[in-house]
Amino acid sequence: MDRAWPNLHKTEEAILRISPTGDLRWCGATVLAKAEQHLGIKDPQRKLLESHLGDNSHQLDENFRDLAVRTLHAANDAADSERAQVRTFRNFLLSSILALTVLASLSVIWGFAAPGALAEKTCFYPAGVRQCPVGAGEPSGVDLMLVEFIGMCAAAVAGAISLRHIQGTATPYMVPMVLMLLRIPLGALSALLGIILIRGEFIPGLTYLDNSGQIAAWAIFFGIAQESITRMIDQQGNRVLDNARGSMREFGTVPRE
């Protein structure tokens, strides 16, 4: 698909370049519409083409064929650039998902390999009795699995609710779906790090959790709390998608940075 669009654009430009004069005169409006959509109303080539069409009963003639071809080429380049931005943003999200998933998995493996190093940080000692996420007993990787699983579930629920703010897209890159998937590993790590922060007495007034139920409840809280980060990423995603809406974009709008 990424290679198909440039080839289609080259074909479109070639057809305009060799079209008979009788067919050429009706191509001006199409080129002008595409230029307004992707170049904006201030583009000098678009303004010159619009002026010619206005003075020539909205018909394109041979004298301005080259201008129409150049304008169409510029509009096609802008459209390709818009799609490239969406693709780059999607690839960045996929890389982030992979990295976060690896980190979450490694933390669980570490919990099984050396329970006293990381898994023990999710346990608390109210009244001198150890309370871990799975209950009283020795810490293990299962505690980390439980905390991360709860965080993932909480993040998934919060992400499903936030989907109402994510706009659709005319591109084939499924950015809204990738934004949703980003929340899953991020929620797992957010829950784990949040429990560790409580254990480290980082949060004033909160030093001990009395039972596994409270640990699970705080894991839910921190899993949902990742929305404060992903909401900003959603906003950036919407800005990127706004630049590549194809025929859904209003005429004359200028792509946003």
Side-chain angles (χ1 to χ4, degrees):
M1 179 62 70
D2 293 336
R3 295 180 179 179
W5 279 112
N7 291 333
L8 288 173
H9 290 160
K10 290 179 181 178
T11 302
E12 186 180 23
E13 294 162 18
I15 292 174
L16 180 61
R17 190 175 288 110
I18 64 176
S19 293
T21 304
D23 296 333
L24 177 66
R25 57 183 178 177
W26 305 116
C27 296
T30 301
V31 175
L32 182 62
K34 194 165 189 177
E36 288 189 5
Q37 197 170 60
H38 295 288
L39 299 177
I41 60 176
K42 296 183 179 181
D43 181 76
Q45 290 186 129
R46 188 213 64 82
K47 293 172 66 176
L48 184 58
L49 180 62
E50 182 181 37
S51 176
H52 166 70
L53 293 176
D55 295 338
N56 199 37
S57 302
H58 301 287
Q59 296 183 18
L60 185 64
D61 57 32
E62 283 291 342
N63 295 330
F64 284 84
R65 181 194 291 267
D66 288 340
L67 173 63
V69 172
R70 292 196 304 270
T71 303
L72 180 60
H73 179 73
N76 286 337
D77 279 350
D80 291 338
S81 177
E82 293 161 8
R83 276 186 289 273
Q85 290 179 1
V86 178
R87 183 174 64 253
T88 300
F89 183 72
R90 189 278 312 269
N91 291 342
F92 172 78
L93 292 177
L94 290 176
S95 299
S96 299
I97 291 172
L98 178 60
L100 292 172
T101 301
V102 170
L103 288 175
S105 301
L106 287 177
S107 65
V108 173
I109 295 174
W110 190 7
F112 282 107
L118 185 60
E120 197 274 336
K121 301 297 188 299
T122 62
C123 299
F124 297 84
Y125 296 85
V129 179
R130 180 190 289 121
Q131 288 290 338
C132 295
V134 296
E138 295 295 325
S140 70
V142 177
D143 295 300
L144 299 180
M145 289 180 62
L146 179 61
V147 170
E148 291 189 2
F149 178 75
I150 293 174
M152 287 191 295
C153 292
V157 173
I161 296 174
S162 69
L163 284 177
R164 70 185 190 278
H165 298 301
I166 299 178
Q167 303 175 14
T169 173
T171 65
Y173 301 113
M174 298 187 296
V175 171
M177 179 61 67
V178 178
L179 286 169
M180 176 65 187
L181 293 178
L182 176 65
R183 289 167 161 81
I184 306 303
L186 187 58
L189 289 175
S190 178
L192 176 59
L193 294 177
I195 297 300
I196 293 176
L197 286 176
I198 295 177
R199 169 65 190 277
E201 301 183 8
F202 181 81
I203 302 177
L206 185 61
T207 57
Y208 287 109
L209 300 181
D210 296 330
N211 52 60
S212 59
Q214 290 186 3
I215 298 175
W218 277 101
I220 293 174
F221 172 80
F222 286 114
I224 295 175
Q226 52 77 37
E227 280 293 313
S228 61
I229 298 175
T230 52
R231 185 174 293 115
M232 293 185 293
I233 302 176
D234 288 345
Q235 293 172 355
Q236 177 62 26
N238 282 330
R239 284 193 291 268
V240 172
L241 292 177
D242 281 341
N243 286 346
R245 293 195 178 280
S247 59
M248 291 186 291
R249 181 194 290 169
E250 295 180 1
F251 288 112
T253 57
V254 179
R256 295 187 293 181
E257 299 295 333

